[in-house]
Amino acid sequence: MTAVPNAGVAPADPAGTAAPPAAAAPRLWAPYLLSLPALMLFGGLLVVPLAMTVLLSLNSFGFYTGIQDVWQFGNYLDILTDGYFHEVFLRTFRIAVSVTLLSAVLGAPEAYVLRRMNTPWRGICLLIVLGPLLISVVSRTLGWALLFGSTGLINQGLMAVGVIATPIEFMYTETGVVIALTHVLVPFMVLSVWASLQRIDPQVENAAVSLGAGPFTVLRRVVLPQVVPGILSGSIIVFALAASAFATPAIIGGRRLKVAATLAYDEFLNTLNWPLGAAVAVLLLLANILIIVGCNRLVERRYKQVFE
């Protein structure tokens, strides 16, 4: 029997190239097809309502004619030229900055102390810090309203020990709003700084101490530069939530101390001027984005070596 040479072997491709597989084209579109449901959900719940709000802000409103479907920038001009709106927006961002600074001052050391605790106590204290997040913001704010009253626990306690002679006005003041918002938002700062502290090797601090650095120098030169990303991210979260907060300013500040969120609420539901309320909401969103992105760029440029 004579053997047939190269039996069962496919002939070589004279051009030296192989045809691409048929499934290559569908694979290119696979990531987009898989992310399509999430993109549709994102567009339906965020992009479409924002676009409708922007379009609504371009309409006009009259007490006798109602909302008129016209395209104009009168609402934005009223906000930009009226001193009343200037005062409301300045108060909003003044409160947000104060809450952010207080949250950083309280939250960063708190996270550092939690990190240095031993295992049994660390979990308990972390649960105490994060426990308020499990309670409604309205309930926590109402608790502060009871404490801030002229007959509340704070004023009565200070008067009992002779520190003050008359009750301090916390309700319907910026001070009361800042204190209550700080209590509500400081857990977000603790979480952000805690995440940054988890990436620090404890031996780095021991090495600094062995080289003669004191405790304050270790905190300032070793720990603080490495937790800047956590403080930055926590400040962004706290500032955004404080600037757009509604429940706490509405309860503690009342109708006499308006911020942008309560102003938009009043325009929508009290005066029924929906276009003006939409314009306030859009300007608040744009101002938040510009401030947050600008601060983020400045800090990242200053601490570039930390973020790389």
Side-chain angles (χ1 to χ4, degrees):
M1 178 178 296
T2 304
V4 180
N6 299 328
V9 179
D13 187 1
T17 57
R27 288 177 183 176
L28 295 176
W29 293 97
Y32 300 98
L33 294 176
L34 292 175
S35 60
L36 184 61
L39 291 176
M40 294 177 62
L41 181 64
F42 175 79
L45 297 181
L46 184 63
V47 177
V48 173
L50 283 177
M52 295 177 64
T53 303
V54 173
L55 294 178
L56 179 61
S57 67
L58 299 176
N59 296 151
S60 64
F61 173 80
F63 288 101
Y64 300 102
T65 59
I67 299 175
Q68 298 178 355
D69 190 9
V70 296
W71 304 99
Q72 48 88 29
F73 294 94
N75 296 315
Y76 293 99
L77 292 177
D78 291 340
I79 296 174
L80 296 176
T81 57
D82 194 336
Y84 171 74
F85 295 104
H86 298 168
E87 181 183 356
V88 170
F89 274 92
L90 286 176
R91 183 185 300 119
T92 300
F93 292 110
R94 185 167 58 244
I95 291 174
V97 171
S98 301
V99 171
T100 303
L101 293 177
L102 277 178
S103 298
V105 170
L106 297 176
E110 190 173 356
Y112 183 74
V113 171
L114 287 174
R115 176 177 174 270
R116 299 298 296 267
M117 284 183 175
N118 294 326
T119 303
W121 295 103
R122 181 188 302 171
I124 296 175
C125 293
L126 188 61
L127 180 62
I128 294 174
V129 172
L130 303 181
L133 294 178
L134 304 177
I135 305 174
S136 170
V137 176
V138 177
S139 300
R140 284 181 282 170
T141 305
L142 288 175
W144 279 106
L146 295 176
L147 293 174
F148 283 157
S150 58
T151 59
L153 182 61
I154 295 178
N155 280 314
Q156 292 299 316
L158 293 177
M159 294 174 63
V161 298
V163 176
I164 58 175
T166 58
I168 301 175
E169 292 293 335
F170 287 110
M171 291 296 294
Y172 315 120
T173 62
E174 290 188 24
T175 303
V177 175
V178 169
I179 294 174
L181 271 179
T182 301
H183 171 258
V184 170
L185 299 178
V186 74
F188 296 99
M189 180 66 70
V190 174
L191 285 176
S192 300
V193 178
W194 172 272
S196 294
L197 288 171
Q198 296 304 308
R199 296 194 295 266
I200 300 178
D201 188 358
Q203 298 304 322
V204 176
E205 300 179 48
N206 297 333
V209 173
S210 66
L211 293 174
F216 180 74
T217 304
V218 172
L219 290 175
R220 183 173 60 89
R221 301 293 297 274
V222 178
V223 177
L224 182 60
Q226 298 186 72
V227 300
V228 165
I231 296 176
L232 171 63
S233 59
S235 299
I236 290 174
I237 295 173
V238 171
F239 181 87
L241 294 176
S244 58
F246 169 75
T248 302
I251 296 174
I252 303 298
R255 301 185 62 86
R256 293 188 298 177
L257 191 73
K258 287 189 179 297
V259 294
T262 56
L263 175 62
Y265 174 85
D266 287 339
E267 295 296 337
F268 270 101
L269 297 183
N270 291 336
T271 62
L272 300 181
N273 192 347
W274 289 20
L276 183 59
V280 171
V282 171
L283 288 178
L284 176 62
L285 175 62
L286 292 177
N288 265 336
I289 292 175
L290 292 177
I291 293 175
I292 290 172
V293 172
C295 294
N296 192 18
R297 293 291 179 87
L298 290 176
V299 177
E300 284 185 351
R301 186 180 303 172
R302 171 65 177 81
Y303 297 94
K304 183 178 180 181
Q305 69 277 8
V306 178
F307 290 93
E308 291 179 349

